[in-house]
């Protein structure tokens, strides 16, 4: 941060070689770093009187846009474009000035040729389209939807084989609520680049978000065998769970256990999923065997400890064992509403309602009010403690969320 030395050095370069774009822009950067941006702007203005360089004029335009001097910014951008009509930073800057002035007809007219041109890098368009949902007010996006949609479609049409751009267009449509349209772009990218694990995963994630579980299962299994990437098995299992296809989960988990017997993380997840699947099938015996296998790998694995403990509590079996397992989970994650519910419910079943109540109260602060099950459990404990009015309040809250789960 020896700014003055930097400026002195740049002055010496100018003394020996004369003024240049590189030196003047570096000087401007130094002035900005010193907090003297206005001095830097004055310097650029004087320089641009003698040298009409698009880059320098665009820097000035960007400064004036940021300073809400949009009309002056337009003058600078037009000067830059009179020197180089295809200078992209000036075109983008000019469009931004029009947007600030709410001149959307001019904004789109300025950008349309850029997004239609195959000569403009796809990367530039990807970054711009990707930023739209974050940078533009949602109401403006809605009012001028046709114009913004046109920019996205023109960009994708100009570069139909650029996976990053196709994904950006898909993300734009998804984030603005057009899931069907988004799917076309994600699918196109995945189909054009079947060798790309990233594009395949993005398409599967889109299918997950839209709840197309049959396709998630189909695409995930195909991707697993194509890439030999176990993460796709997780996608397939999630889809199978939503489809209540528990046998597929058990088969896939068995495959992982046989294929990766020394990978503790994967085996732990496989035994955990196997236990959940067996329990969903109503086979507690095999579910508990699977959970025990998982806990041999990691005795402190909270998801299995919680599920194992909760399912035992539902059956009213081995409550002391369930208590010990559940206690570990709330010690590990004291703000996890699900774990707090399990532990408090087990305390209730052990006739320890006074001890259970604080855990339910804590669960209410961390998402418990969003679960009908937790609300009903809490209401039951409050009733056991004679707090009928509070119990009724939480039971009514549960009813509003949905029927018994």
């Amino acid at each position: 941060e020896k700014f003055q030395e930097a400026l002195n050095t740049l002055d010496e370069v100018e003394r020996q070689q004369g003024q240049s774009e590189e030196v003047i822009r570096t000087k401007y950067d130094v002035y900005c770093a010193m907090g003297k941006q206005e001095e830097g702007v004055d310097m650029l203005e004087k320089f641009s009187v003698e040298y009409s360089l698009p880059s320098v004029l665009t820097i000035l335009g960007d400064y004036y846009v940021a300073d809400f001097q949009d009309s002056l910014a337009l003058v600078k951008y037009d000067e830059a474009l009179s020197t180089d009509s295809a200078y992209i930073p000036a075109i983008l800057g000019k469009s931004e000035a029009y947007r600030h002035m709410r001149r959307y007809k001019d904004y789109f007219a300025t950008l349309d040729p850029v997004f239609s041109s195959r000569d403009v890098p796809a990367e530039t368009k990807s970054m711009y389209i990707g930023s739209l949902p974050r940078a533009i007010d949602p109401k403006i996006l809605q009012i001028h939807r046709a114009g913004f949609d046109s920019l996205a479609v023109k960009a994708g049409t100009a570069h139909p084989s650029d996976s990053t751009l196709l994904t950006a267009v898909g993300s734009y449509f998804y984030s603005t609520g057009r899931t069907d349209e988004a799917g076309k772009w994600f699918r196109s990218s995945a189909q054009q680049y079947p060798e790309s694990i990233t594009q395949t995963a993005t398409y599967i994630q889109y299918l997950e978000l839209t709840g197309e579980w049959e396709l998630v299962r189909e695409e995930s299994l195909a991707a697993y065998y194509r890439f030999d990437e176990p993460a796709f098995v997780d996608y397939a299992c999630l889809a199978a769970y939503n489809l209540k296809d528990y046998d597929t989960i058990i088969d896939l988990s068995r495959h992982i256990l046989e294929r990766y017997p020394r990978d503790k993380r994967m085996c732990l997840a496989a035994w955990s999923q196997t236990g959940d699947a067996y329990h969903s099938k109503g086979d507690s015996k095999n579910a508990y065997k699977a959970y025990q296998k998982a806990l041999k790998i990691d005795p402190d694995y909270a998801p299995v400890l919680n599920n194992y403990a909760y399912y035992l509590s539902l059956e009213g079996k081995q409550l002391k064992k369930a208590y010990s397992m559940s206690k570990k989970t709330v010690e590990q994650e004291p703000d996890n509403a699900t774990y707090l519910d399990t532990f408090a419910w087990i305390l209730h079943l052990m006739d320890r309602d006074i001890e259970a109540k604080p855990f339910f109260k804590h669960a209410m602060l961390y998402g418990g009010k969003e679960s009908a099950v937790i609300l009903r459990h809490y209401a039951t404990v409050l009733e056991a403690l004679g707090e009928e009015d509070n119990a009724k309040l939480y039971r009514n809250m549960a009813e509003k969320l949905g029927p018994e789960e």
Side-chain angles (χ1 to χ4, degrees), residues 146-214:
F148 289 111
D149 287 1
S150 177
L151 293 180
V153 171
K154 284 177 179 177
T157 304
H159 306 274
S161 300
D162 189 282
S163 61
T164 303
L165 180 54
L166 295 177
T167 300
V169 175
S171 298
Y172 161 76
F173 280 110
Y174 185 84
S175 63
T176 52
R178 274 76 58 77
T179 54
D180 289 342
E181 184 67 20
K184 296 176 184 177
W185 296 93
F186 288 131
R187 183 164 49 251
S188 175
S189 182
Q191 289 174 346
Q192 287 193 62
Y193 295 91
E195 76 286 354
S196 170
I197 192 169
T198 301
Q199 299 307 317
T200 300
T202 299
Y203 178 48
I204 291 172
Q205 288 162 359
Y206 158 77
L207 294 173
E208 282 186 354
L209 291 169
T210 54
E212 298 179 60
W213 298 115
E214 293 278 3

Side-chain angles (χ1 to χ4, degrees), residues 63 67 183 196 234 295 341 343 378:
Y63 170 79
D67 199 40
S196 170
D234 294 335
L295 293 175
D341 169 61
F343 187 58
Y378 191 19

Side-chain angles (χ1 to χ4, degrees), residues 236-271:
C237 284
L238 177 62
Y241 185 83
N242 280 277
L243 293 167
K244 301 187 186 307
D245 180 11
Y246 305 120
D247 289 332
T248 290
I249 296 173
I250 293 168
D251 290 341
L252 287 172
S253 297
R254 185 182 298 117
H255 171 78
I256 291 295
L257 290 166
E258 292 172 353
R259 181 80 186 276
Y260 306 96
R262 296 183 180 180
D263 190 315
K264 289 186 177 181
R265 182 188 61 82
M266 293 176 63
C267 289
L268 179 62
W271 283 121

Side-chain angles (χ1 to χ4, degrees), residues 57-66 70 73-78 81 87-101 107 110-111 114 128:
L57 290 164
T58 299
I59 292 173
L60 287 169
D62 293 344
Y63 170 79
Y64 291 126
V65 165
D70 299 311
L74 285 174
V75 171
K76 297 301 176 184
Y77 291 132
D78 283 338
L81 292 170
Y87 191 61
I88 297 302
I91 295 173
L92 295 178
K94 185 176 181 179
S95 71
E96 193 67 9
Y98 281 138
R99 188 173 71 83
H100 278 208
M101 300 167 78
Y107 168 79
T110 301
L111 288 181
V114 174
Y128 195 93

Side-chain angles (χ1 to χ4, degrees), residues 29-321:
D29 291 340
V30 174
Y31 278 120
C32 290
M34 295 171 71
K36 297 181 178 181
Q37 190 175 17
E38 290 185 3
E39 289 186 37
V41 169
D42 289 340
M43 176 193 65
L44 293 183
E45 285 283 15
K46 292 175 183 177
F47 178 84
S48 63
V49 169
E50 188 173 353
Y51 303 97
S52 295
L53 296 179
S55 60
V56 173
L57 290 164
T58 299
I59 292 173
L60 287 169
D62 293 344
Y63 170 79
Y64 291 126
V65 165
D67 199 40
F68 301 101
Q69 298 184 61
D70 299 311
S71 296
L72 183 54
L74 285 174
V75 171
K76 297 301 176 184
Y77 291 132
D78 283 338
E79 285 185 39
L81 292 170
S82 67
T83 303
D84 182 354
S85 61
Y87 191 61
I88 297 302
I91 295 173
L92 295 178
K94 185 176 181 179
S95 71
E96 193 67 9
Y98 281 138
R99 188 173 71 83
H100 278 208
M101 300 167 78
R102 298 185 180 278
R103 291 169 56 178
Y104 282 96
K105 183 178 179 180
D106 293 322
Y107 168 79
F108 290 118
T110 301
L111 288 181
D112 275 350
V114 174
F115 283 80
S116 300
S117 173
R118 295 183 180 180
D119 296 329
V120 178
E123 182 182 5
T124 300
K125 299 174 187 177
S126 297
M127 292 175 63
Y128 195 93
I129 292 169
S131 71
L132 284 177
R134 299 188 301 274
I136 308 295
D137 185 299
K139 291 181 181 179
I140 297 298
L141 275 176
Q142 179 64 30
I143 293 171
H144 299 284
R145 172 184 284 187
F148 289 111
D149 287 1
S150 177
L151 293 180
V153 171
K154 284 177 179 177
T157 304
H159 306 274
S161 300
D162 189 282
S163 61
T164 303
L165 180 54
L166 295 177
T167 300
V169 175
S171 298
Y172 161 76
F173 280 110
Y174 185 84
S175 63
T176 52
R178 274 76 58 77
T179 54
D180 289 342
E181 184 67 20
K184 296 176 184 177
W185 296 93
F186 288 131
R187 183 164 49 251
S188 175
S189 182
Q191 289 174 346
Q192 287 193 62
Y193 295 91
E195 76 286 354
S196 170
I197 192 169
T198 301
Q199 299 307 317
T200 300
T202 299
Y203 178 48
I204 291 172
Q205 288 162 359
Y206 158 77
L207 294 173
E208 282 186 354
L209 291 169
T210 54
E212 298 179 60
W213 298 115
E214 293 278 3
L215 277 174
V216 172
R217 181 176 57 185
E218 177 186 330
E219 295 289 339
S220 297
L221 290 174
Y224 168 65
Y225 292 113
R226 185 161 74 248
F227 297 109
D228 193 23
E229 171 51 62
F232 287 109
V233 173
D234 294 335
Y235 290 132
C237 284
L238 177 62
Y241 185 83
N242 280 277
L243 293 167
K244 301 187 186 307
D245 180 11
Y246 305 120
D247 289 332
T248 290
I249 296 173
I250 293 168
D251 290 341
L252 287 172
S253 297
R254 185 182 298 117
H255 171 78
I256 291 295
L257 290 166
E258 292 172 353
R259 181 80 186 276
Y260 306 96
R262 296 183 180 180
D263 190 315
K264 289 186 177 181
R265 182 188 61 82
M266 293 176 63
C267 289
L268 179 62
W271 283 121
S272 176
Q273 290 179 150
T274 299
D276 293 344
Y278 272 122
H279 186 269
S280 296
K281 283 168 62 74
D283 187 345
S284 296
K285 182 179 179 181
N286 279 316
Y288 297 157
K289 284 183 179 178
Y291 289 148
Q292 287 164 9
K293 291 278 191 181
L295 293 175
K296 282 185 178 179
I297 298 172
D298 184 354
D300 298 318
Y301 188 53
V304 168
L305 288 170
N306 177 73
N307 288 2
Y308 196 176
Y310 186 63
Y311 295 147
L312 285 174
S313 76
L314 292 181
E315 296 178 2
K317 295 179 179 179
Q318 304 182 59
L319 291 181
K320 287 185 178 179
K321 179 177 181 178

